[in-house]
Amino acid sequence: MSILDVPILDVRGLIAGYEPGLSIVKGASIHADEKEIVVILGPNGAGKSSFIKAIAGLVPITGGEVLLDGKDITYGAAHLRVRQGLAFVPQTENIFPLMTVEENLRVAGGVLPRAEVQSRIDEAYTMFPDLARQRKLAAGSLSGGQRQMLAVGRALIVHPRVLMLDEPSAGLSPKFVEMVFTRLNEIRRAGLTIVLVEQNARAALAIGDRAYVLVEGREAHEGRAATLWDDPVVAELYLGQRRHA
Amino acid sequence: MNLQFIVDGLISGSLIGLGAIGITLTYSILRFSNFAHGDFMAWGAYGTLSVIAAIGALVGTTAPIGALSFGWPLIAATLIGMILTACLALLLDWLLFARLRDKGQSIIVVMASFGASMALRSLLEFIFTSSPTYFSRGIQMAIPIGLGIRITPDQMVMLATTVILVTAMHLFMSRSQTGREMRAYSQNPALARVVGIDTARVVRATWIIGAALACAAGVMVGILVQIRPLMGLDLLLPMFAAAILGGIGSVPGAVLGGLIIGLSEAAAVQLIGAEWRAAIAFAILMAVLLVRPMGLFGRAER
């Protein structure tokens, strides 16, 4: 394999869980290439959320490896992964509610040279003009959609290589879901790799390049996002779970 | 009615408030009630006293500044004492609290702080004996400032120092990156890690700031009253009451809480009787917990 073939994010046989001996992620592997949107689907309780949190460094890993750009970051602290270019947007509680919108962005700029912080914050405001208008407001007073924009804007402050999101559409109105996915597509075009855990399979597959189906802590199926929706194997894996229309 | 209690209350309230800053930060960031915080005050005062003795041995006797009871060695020694107290807090965290915090049960950490408090206090009694000592034995004349109120030059300087320290702390917490990181960590530790905050650094900053301010408060108690191994323990309940009254996590709240407790105690001494002084902090604490459990500046999160 030539150096050019190394995926930007390569997760191999990951085993992770909150309690020792009680793994939730049981040997899952995925990879993501440059400028790719990779979607992780799966029935409830498949361990999707724990899987992405483990990659972000929030769930203890007991086996397997996580390589970012060929570099082993399996056991690195969560804050170091961010500095190495792996950003993560959690599903819930993904903003600091008692801090203003601007402080939420600024606090993520701690790893940047001081002179660059303001221009990165302005970039976030350009991408999400709503945030600029509400920069002085407590983030806790934002609507669900605005919180999601703030969380994504904050994750992008450090110019990561890979952006991981845990169910960015959860709890949002259809209008906001469409907006979030449109923005994610733009972010990918700008050069980022995106890894997405989603319940809203149809919307996610519409912008995704490749997708994995995670079942019982392992990846059970992989395919092109465009064809996965109609793949009979996927229907089988969801095992009686009704598909989201 | 004699209004002298206002000055007395403001001064004891400032000292309580300075100490309460450390308690409120430890509680909101490290998520436990540190009962050894009062002992940081006592250790800070004794540490400063020892540094003054060392300076005295090196440079001989120095004259006090103006009408104050102390000279430059006390100021220099306090700064060194603040660093030493911060080191003591970091050492204690490394030896004890960090290991127990990792186990995830905050009640064990609280109990450990009880133990640490007793050990620190006994160690002070062992080294310095339990009899009180003083930074200066001189008697200061209080200056009348009208309405029957009198204030000593030392008291004026202590009030001014408190205002400077509290303002600096407020600016630090609201404007500096470390202050923002500390607030972020107190609101959501997991998210703080995700946004790239080095949480070990936040923990260190919390101990350093809390212990340094405790030392400053301890030295002020030493200047205005006396230095005793039990001095911190006596202030522990009022400090906790101030932190809770102000709203856990709020620096201005802790100081305002301290001033309210200090003024109430002083008023109680004058209006009800000195024997009720200690009960006041407790009564205010109970009333706050019943009426507004989140405190004056606290907010119900999320």
Side-chain angles (χ1 to χ4, degrees), chain B residues 5 9 23 42 53 73 78 93-94 123 135 143 194 212 217 232 243 278 283 285 287-288:
Chain B
F5 80 89
I23 287 184
T78 304
D93 187 55
W94 177 71
L123 211 53
F135 285 115
I143 304 158
V194 167
L285 180 60
V288 174

Side-chain angles (χ1 to χ4, degrees), chain B residues 100-287:
Chain B
L100 297 172
R101 228 178 12 249
D102 287 346
K103 297 192 194 297
Q105 279 185 298
S106 78
I107 188 66
I108 294 177
V109 191
V110 173
M111 288 301 143
S113 82
F114 260 121
S117 166
M118 281 190 271
L120 287 172
R121 208 157 55 237
S122 303
L123 211 53
L124 275 185
E125 288 179 328
F126 178 71
I127 303 170
F128 296 96
T129 77
S130 52
S131 46
T133 178
Y134 302 85
F135 285 115
S136 157
R137 288 184 185 272
I139 291 173
Q140 272 202 315
M141 293 305 290
I143 304 158
I145 54 168
L147 299 170
I149 302 173
R150 303 169 76 86
I151 183 166
T152 68
D154 277 4
Q155 288 175 325
M156 279 194 251
V157 169
M158 296 307 122
L159 279 179
T161 309
T162 306
V163 171
I164 293 168
L165 284 175
V166 169
T167 311
M169 255 320 284
H170 181 65
L171 290 176
F172 173 81
M173 290 301 285
S174 58
R175 305 279 171 85
S176 77
Q177 179 63 17
T178 307
R180 268 192 293 275
E181 290 182 357
M182 289 168 71
R183 283 188 292 143
Y185 185 83
S186 77
Q187 286 174 46
N188 189 336
L191 185 59
R193 292 160 67 198
V194 167
V195 304
I197 294 172
D198 181 351
T199 51
R201 206 175 78 88
V202 169
V203 170
R204 281 198 299 276
T206 307
W207 283 118
I208 290 171
I209 291 167
L213 290 177
C215 171
V219 170
M220 291 190 199
V221 175
I223 291 170
L224 299 175
V225 194
Q226 60 186 9
I227 309 170
R228 290 182 306 128
L230 286 175
M231 61 196 278
L233 185 69
D234 293 345
L235 281 172
L236 197 63
L237 178 63
M239 288 193 296
F240 266 100
I244 293 168
L245 176 58
I248 286 297
S250 166
V251 169
V255 177
L256 187 67
L259 291 176
I260 292 172
I261 304 266
L263 284 167
S264 314
E265 282 186 352
V269 169
Q270 174 147 353
L271 302 174
I272 317 173
E275 67 272 27
W276 292 95
R277 181 184 188 118
I280 286 298
F282 194 64
I284 293 176
L285 180 60
M286 295 306 288

